Amino acid sequence: MSLTESLKKTSLYDKHIALGAKMVPFGGWDMPVQYEGVIAEYTQTREAVSMFDISHMGEFVVVGDCVESGLDRIVTMSLEDLPVKFARYGMMLNDNGGIIDDLIIFRMEKDKWFLVVNGATTEKDLEHLKSSLNPSARIEDVSSVTAKIDVQGPLSRDVLKSIFPGIEKLEYYTFDFFNYLSKNILISRTGYTGELGYEIYLPWDSIDVLWNKILEDKRVRPAGLGARDVLRLEMGYSLYGHELSESITPIEAGLGKFVDFGKEFIGKEVLLKQKEQGVDRRIIGFVSDNRRSPRAEQAIYALDGTEVGVVTSGTFSVALQRGIGLGLVDHGVVKKEDKVLFGNEKARSEASVTSRIFYKGGSLKD
Amino acid sequence: MEIVEHLMYTKEHEWVLVDDDIATIGITDYAQSSLGDITFIELPSVDDEAEQFGEIVSVESVKAASDIFSPISGRVIEINTELETDPALINKSPYEKGWLAKIEIADKEELSNLMTAEEYENFLESSG
């Protein structure tokens, strides 16, 4: 059996092929990396609207009181004060404070929670949740029946409001249920691009009708994972398996603001200690001095040649017309505005340590 | 994929235009399409010695870095410096504005190691 035969396909697979997509393996799925080209799709998203098939993500429904069910103790964000129809980003940690996954939790009803996790970690996450939730909680894995499309870009609200009247009322990180083809579907104002945008969750078998319907609007074009990666990296957003893993904590990953220290949660002790005593390493952002892009797994060096860390993600920033990267470095060795080198034994390039938010002109909160 | 009749080609998808003793080199339409949007290029310096099928240029696309090999041996006499600020010219015009370098051919015998347009077309078809 070849590798491609063992990859999972979303229900839009045939549409991607018909649209001329280049497909690549991603977290066990055969996904579109690009259609007309990464930069064209990037620009389309920053200036108009793009639509992404993100059906590989995992989704679970948990029913139960957030504290009694044990869910609140499993995740870093606070759930008790989350209003119904609001969403919140956070992480699930192991006992050492390492990140099992990052996720968004939607409060559908007072005691009903919708969890969206990464595609490649869905099975692992489900096992962790099942073994950590209290017996009173009910959990259902709806990943195989839930498709997801992201509509992102400054014109996304204008495009979607004719199909989903009322969507214009959604604020950042809120969601609602909309009727489509006599089905109740969840749409949230969230995304991974830094632009105004929406994520649409709907039954696996109705997605192609909606995909076609949205594409009828000539302002919308499909975009692949290639553009998505440039868009997310320009915003400094983490990607599981790169900036986040079971051997890195939220403090080291620079995601402390998504941790509620006012409650009890798995891994809290380690995080508290790191907060008090500081961390040995942390994620930084850096901008290449030229058009050369850093690549994941390259080394990061101080100017004197000492190796100080590793590149976790790197790409070419279309906005800056320079290479940008995130990297895990020894804490205290490099500071903001310091010069560093990235590369390998043979060739190294200069870069400057900066804020990890590389792009600030997005329509995210418009 | 566009293939230009009067050029010669390598299996690594480079092309060469021979004009007397001077070879202009570049990458094919197939190569630029496979690489995707080219964002960075490192050209050789004038007077560098190129070796047939040896690394001569490195390019980066949004996702990856790749090496380009010289179709012919000889001294580099000119480079397309416009690519340094606008490497996307290679995507837009791989056979014309996206040329990489001009080389003073050291040994014309080496041309017999290259493919004609027809042979390259067959090569592309057979490699799927």
Side-chain angles (χ1 to χ4, degrees), chain B residues 13-72:
Chain B
H13 311 285
E14 292 96 7
W15 58 259
V16 56
L17 169 74
V18 179
D19 180 11
D20 209 4
D21 286 341
I22 307 301
T24 305
I25 65 166
I27 64 169
T28 67
D29 191 27
Y30 174 88
Q32 71 76 19
S33 167
S34 308
L35 289 168
D37 294 313
I38 295 169
T39 53
F40 172 80
I41 185 155
E42 188 169 32
L43 293 166
S45 305
V46 169
D47 288 339
D48 277 3
E49 286 295 328
E51 204 173 306
Q52 190 176 36
F53 308 134
E55 288 171 24
I56 183 163
V57 170
S58 64
V59 290
E60 291 186 2
S61 65
V62 178
K63 270 332 275 182
S66 320
D67 289 320
I68 293 170
F69 304 95
S70 179
I72 198 98

Side-chain angles (χ1 to χ4, degrees), chain A residues 4 27 47 66 85 96 104 111 120-121 151 168-169 179 185 204 217 243 265 283 285 321 326:
Chain A
T4 46
E47 293 177 358
C66 65
K85 293 188 181 172
N96 302 320
I104 299 180
D111 292 332
T121 51
V151 180
E168 64 276 13
K169 295 193 191 87
N179 194 279
I185 65 177
W204 197 257
D217 190 317
E243 287 70 43
F265 60 91
I283 295 281
Q321 291 286 301
L326 295 175

Side-chain angles (χ1 to χ4, degrees), chain A residues 333-349:
Chain A
V333 180
V334 289
K335 298 178 293 296
K336 252 190 206 148
E337 294 173 24
D338 276 1
K339 286 275 182 196
V340 289
L341 304 168
F342 64 87
N344 53 34
E345 292 291 308
K346 282 191 280 176
R348 297 173 191 184
S349 276

